[in-house]
Amino acid sequence: MFGKFKDTAFVAAAAVALVSTASLPSAANAADVLRIGAPLALTGGLADEGKKQEGVWQLWLDKVNANGGIKVGGKTMKVELVKYDYQTDGKRAGQLAEKLVTDDKVDVLMAPFGSGHTKIVAAVAERYQVPLLACVASSESVYDQGFKYLFGTLAPNGGMTDAMAVMFKEKMPSTAKIAVYGRDDVFPKSMATAMAKSAESAGLKVVYNELYAVGTMDHSAALSAIKAASPDWIYMTGYTQDLILGRKQMKDLGIEAPIITMVTGPAYREFTEGLGDLADGVTSSTWWHHATAYTGATGVWDTTAGFYKDFTAAFKTDPDYVHASCAAAADVLVNAVQKAGSTDKTKVRDALAATDMLTFYGPIKFGANGMNQGREMPVIQVQGKDIKVLYPAGIANADMIAVK
C-alpha cells in the first residue's frame, strides 16, 4: 500500500534510517531545513499502523516541498523527515528517539503508534526538551506525567465511551447488560475501563469486566464466560489482530448479542477485510471520519474533501483516523514553527501550547496536559461492506442495526 514512495536509506546503529526530503541539505543551508524525527513501527506487531504513519507523512511531505517548503521568520525552509524502524519494541523506540535527537539533530519529534510507546518516547523528548507531537495516543495516563513538551492531536478516551453508551441505550432500549473485555495494554485497557464506567452511568449492568494479556492467542475461556453471562452488548478492545481473532471465536462458540463493539476495529480497513461478512454489524468509535466536512482549515489541506481526494488518489483506499490525525499533527507542528519564527525548541514548545487552529481533521486546541480538547467523535458501524457513521447527527449517514 505504501510502496509508492521511495526514500534515501542508510544503515546506522543496527537500524535503518530513512531520510525523506525534496533535496538533502548541504552544510551551508542546513539551517534552512526543518528536521522532523520519527521512530516508527515498520516491522513487528504494529507494522500495519506504523506504515500508515509513514505513508501519510510522506504524502504530506511531498505536498509541502512541492509547494516550495514553508515560510518561517522571513525565509523559506524545506522540511525533512528522518525515521527509524523500531520494530515494535518499546525499549528500542526510546533508544532511537534519543539517537534522532543527539545524532541526527532533529528539531522536533513525532511519536509512534499507541499510547504505550508514545509514553516511552515522551520521556526521552522531555529529558532533551524537544517538542513531541503524538497523533495516535489518546490515553490520559500518557499525559498525566507532567510532560511539558508532549502534545497530542487525539481527544481523551472518555468522550468516546460516554456518547456511545447513551446513544446505544437510546437506539436499543432493551439493552440492559454489557460485557467488557479489554487488552491489558495502555490504550485498550483505558478504553475498557472508561466503557465500564460509562455503561454504569447510563444505567447498564456490567456482567463481565476482565482484561486479557498482550499476545493472547485464544480467547475461548473468556468468551465462554461472557456467553454464560448473556450480555446484550459485548465490548472488546485491542488491536486489529486481537479483534479479528476475538470475533472469529465468538462465531465458533455460538456467541450472539444484538450489539458487538470492537475498539477500534472497524476504523481499520484491515479489520473488515480480515473478517469479511463477520464484520457486519460490528460497531466502534473513532476520532475522525472522512464524512466530516471542515473547510477554511490551516495547513497543507484547507478542506477535509481536499485531503480525502489526495489520499484516495495516492493509496486507492479510504483514509482512517490514524492517517488524518497524523497528517494534521504535521500541520500543527509547522504552524507552531511559523508562529515561533524559528526552530528554537523552547519557542516551538510555547507556540504549540498556545495552539488554537482548525485543520482538515478538525479543531486543535491543547489543554493544560497537552491533549487536544474533547469534541464529538464519530460512532461507526459496519453495514454490509461499508462503514457507516451513526453519530454525531451532523455527519450521520445511517441508523444503527443489530448484529445478525
Side-chain angles (χ1 to χ4, degrees):
M1 176 177 173
F2 298 103
K4 169 181 170 61
F5 301 108
K6 296 181 180 179
D7 304 304
T8 301
F10 64 91
V11 178
V16 176
L18 303 175
V19 183
S20 305
T21 184
S23 59
L24 294 176
S26 66
N29 68 0
D32 294 336
V33 176
L34 170 64
R35 289 171 63 80
I36 303 172
L40 293 171
L42 302 178
T43 56
L46 293 177
D48 287 343
E49 290 81 0
K51 288 177 181 177
K52 289 181 180 184
Q53 292 178 281
E54 179 190 33
V56 80
W57 280 335
Q58 189 65 59
L59 180 68
W60 175 87
L61 187 66
D62 286 350
K63 199 169 180 71
V64 166
N65 286 327
N67 290 333
I70 60 175
K71 301 292 184 182
V72 179
K75 64 182 178 182
T76 300
M77 299 181 72
K78 291 289 186 179
V79 181
E80 176 182 313
L81 178 66
V82 185
K83 57 197 183 224
Y84 288 97
D85 177 13
Y86 73 89
Q87 302 169 345
T88 314
D89 180 329
K91 182 179 179 181
R92 188 176 181 80
Q95 293 169 340
L96 291 176
E98 185 166 12
K99 175 177 172 54
L100 285 162
V101 173
T102 59
D103 293 351
D104 298 300
K105 308 298 182 184
V106 298
D107 300 301
V108 293
L109 287 167
M110 289 292 200
F113 180 89
S115 294
H117 292 169
T118 291
K119 194 171 186 177
I120 294 170
V121 172
V124 175
E126 196 70 19
R127 185 163 69 251
Y128 289 98
Q129 298 189 332
V130 178
L132 173 67
L133 264 292
C135 57
V136 213
S138 64
S139 298
E140 292 173 83
S141 63
V142 178
Y143 299 87
D144 66 2
Q145 307 299 302
F147 295 137
K148 301 299 183 185
Y149 283 78
L150 171 64
F151 300 90
T153 48
L154 295 185
N157 294 335
M160 301 175 77
T161 57
D162 289 343
M164 179 177 278
V166 171
M167 190 194 82
F168 285 8
K169 190 76 171 76
E170 178 184 319
K171 294 290 185 181
M172 295 189 176
S174 61
T175 302
K177 299 185 295 182
I178 183 173
V180 178
Y181 183 46
R183 173 174 162 136
D184 193 4
D185 201 354
V186 179
F187 166 70
K189 180 179 179 179
S190 68
M191 290 299 295
T193 301
M195 187 70 253
K197 292 179 180 177
S198 295
E200 289 179 342
S201 296
L204 300 177
K205 182 178 181 181
V206 180
V207 294
Y208 185 91
N209 187 8
E210 297 291 340
L211 299 172
Y212 61 92
V214 175
T216 296
M217 298 303 295
D218 184 5
H219 299 287
S220 58
L223 292 175
S224 294
I226 289 174
K227 182 178 182 179
S230 301
D232 306 301
W233 181 3
I234 299 172
Y235 183 94
M236 180 176 177
T237 72
Y239 294 118
T240 304
Q241 296 307 315
D242 301 318
L243 301 177
I244 288 174
L245 176 61
R247 183 67 186 100
K248 287 180 176 179
Q249 290 195 310
M250 287 181 198
K251 176 67 174 179
D252 293 343
L253 293 168
I255 298 172
E256 297 180 353
I259 307 173
I260 296 177
T261 300
M262 296 191 145
V263 175
T264 55
Y268 299 128
R269 175 179 54 82
E270 295 83 4
F271 176 85
T272 52
E273 289 184 350
L275 282 174
D277 292 343
L278 273 182
D280 194 25
V282 174
T283 48
S284 192
S285 48
T286 186
W287 287 267
W288 178 86
H289 190 274
H290 60 78
T292 55
Y294 294 107
T295 60
T298 298
V300 170
W301 294 280
D302 61 0
T303 65
T304 307
F307 171 74
Y308 181 77
K309 179 181 178 181
D310 285 355
F311 186 94
T312 53
F315 300 117
K316 314 304 179 190
T317 189
D318 286 343
D320 61 33
Y321 80 90
V322 174
H323 302 114
S325 179
C326 291
D331 280 337
V332 170
L333 172 61
V334 166
N335 182 69
V337 172
Q338 291 173 325
K339 295 288 187 184
S342 75
T343 57
D344 180 271
K345 294 177 175 61
T346 300
K347 291 180 179 179
V348 172
R349 182 265 161 212
D350 291 345
L352 284 167
T355 295
D356 187 356
M357 63 185 285
L358 178 67
T359 69
F360 77 88
Y361 159 80
I364 306 289
K365 183 177 182 180
F366 299 118
N369 66 350
M371 291 193 80
N372 194 14
Q373 300 289 292
R375 57 191 174 91
E376 289 187 321
M377 291 173 283
V379 175
I380 59 177
Q381 184 174 40
V382 183
Q383 295 188 7
K385 297 185 181 300
D386 298 322
I387 302 297
K388 297 295 186 180
V389 181
L390 308 179
Y391 173 92
I395 60 170
N397 58 12
D399 290 325
M400 184 178 179
I401 61 172
V403 178
K404 299 176 182 178

